[in-house]
């Protein structure tokens, strides 16, 4: 560790952090929000046991979970132009991350829906509630509380997976680091630095997850 390297690390910190705050975080938040909607709808289709829709949902989950995320990024960003569909890097990344995460989160939500006691639904039918009311007022709130820890883990994983967006020219933290490495020829120190920044983001989310779990635990105990 010499003075030159310390200066490089000092100068590069905010050059890496700022793309993290302006690109990595928005990419994660937008993609995960869309993924959560996809997951809930896909899980509800399976929970309702409508044969045709359930088969479509299972096919979607099979395809997405069975193919690498990097390949999906390449198909959407580099492959679709052959069909005349041009997407900018950021929207392409959002689509891929949302669809990919939606497949994984759908299985989490499906398990959470099935964990709700069947007797509660039967009791709701007895008091005259419709199926949409039962889902909205009874099943969904309990399922989201059950699914909160695994969904939080998937959100943390997505923060790190966004580094793959550099492969389709999204200027997030990892690409910013690669550009600095190309100028300074200090890959070891700079890649460790960006790893620590990812760790910082993940640590903040972990603390938020634990706070959320404690809050849900107190709410559930009332």
């Amino acid at each position: 560790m010499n003075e030159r390297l310390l200066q490089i690390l000092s100068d590069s910190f905010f050059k890496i952090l700022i793309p993290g705050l302006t690109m990595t975080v928005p990419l994660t938040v937008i993609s995960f929000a869309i993924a959560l909607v996809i997951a809930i709808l896909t899980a509800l289709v399976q929970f309702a046991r409508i044969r045709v829709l359930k088969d479509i949902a299972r096919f979607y989950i099979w395809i997405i979970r069975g193919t690498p995320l990097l390949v999906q990024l390449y198909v959407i960003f580099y492959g679709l132009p052959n069909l005349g569909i041009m997407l900018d890097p950021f929207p392409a990344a959002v689509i891929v991350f949302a669809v990919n995460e939606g497949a994984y989160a759908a299985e989490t939500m499906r398990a959470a829906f099935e964990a709700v006691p069947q007797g509660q639904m039967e009791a709701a039918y007895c008091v005259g509630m419709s199926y949409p009311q039962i889902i909205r007022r009874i099943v969904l709130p309990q399922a989201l509380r059950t699914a909160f820890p695994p969904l939080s883990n998937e959100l943390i994983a997505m923060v790190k997976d966004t580094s793959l967006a550099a492969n389709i020219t999204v200027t997030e933290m990892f690409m910013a680091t690669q550009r600095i490495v190309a100028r300074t020829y200090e890959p070891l120190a700079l890649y460790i630095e960006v790893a620590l920044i990812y760790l910082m983001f993940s640590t903040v989310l972990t603390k938020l997850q634990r706070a959320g779990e404690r809050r849900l635990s107190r709410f559930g105990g009332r």
Side-chain angles (χ1 to χ4, degrees), residues 136-169:
R136 187 176 70 254
R137 297 180 181 180
I138 296 177
V139 177
L140 189 57
Q142 294 185 69
L144 287 172
R145 187 162 64 244
T146 300
F148 181 81
L151 288 177
S152 299
N153 289 335
E154 291 170 17
L155 175 60
I156 293 170
M158 181 180 279
V159 171
K160 295 174 288 184
D161 287 344
T162 56
S163 61
L164 293 173
N167 290 278
I168 60 169
T169 71

Side-chain angles (χ1 to χ4, degrees), residues 8-85:
I8 290 172
L9 292 175
S10 176
D11 292 342
S12 64
F13 180 79
F14 286 103
K15 292 179 182 178
I16 298 172
L17 180 62
I18 290 173
L21 296 174
T22 60
M23 190 64 69
T24 299
V25 171
L27 176 58
T28 302
V29 171
I30 295 171
S31 300
F32 193 80
I34 298 172
L36 193 57
V37 174
I38 294 173
I40 291 173
L41 293 176
T42 305
L44 283 173
V45 164
Q46 297 181 83
F47 186 68
R49 293 180 173 84
I50 302 172
R51 182 60 185 272
V52 175
L53 295 179
K54 182 178 179 180
D55 289 343
I56 293 173
R58 295 305 302 170
F59 180 77
Y60 154 65
I61 293 170
W62 172 64
I63 290 292
I64 297 301
R65 295 204 305 172
T67 54
L69 176 57
L70 183 58
V71 173
Q72 294 167 18
L73 283 167
Y74 273 61
V75 167
I76 296 299
F77 187 69
Y78 295 113
L80 288 185
N82 288 339
L83 301 178
I85 303 173

Side-chain angles (χ1 to χ4, degrees), residues 86-146:
M86 306 291 292
L87 293 173
D88 290 333
F90 187 84
V94 167
I95 291 170
V96 173
F97 284 120
V99 171
N100 182 274
E101 182 59 36
Y104 287 92
E107 289 296 271
T108 300
M109 289 304 305
R110 180 184 60 80
F113 283 142
E114 293 178 353
V116 177
Q118 188 68 26
Q120 293 189 18
M121 295 188 65
E122 294 172 356
Y125 278 124
C126 290
V127 299
M129 293 178 68
S130 65
Y131 183 79
Q133 289 176 322
I134 293 171
I135 294 297
R136 187 176 70 254
R137 297 180 181 180
I138 296 177
V139 177
L140 189 57
Q142 294 185 69
L144 287 172
R145 187 162 64 244
T146 300

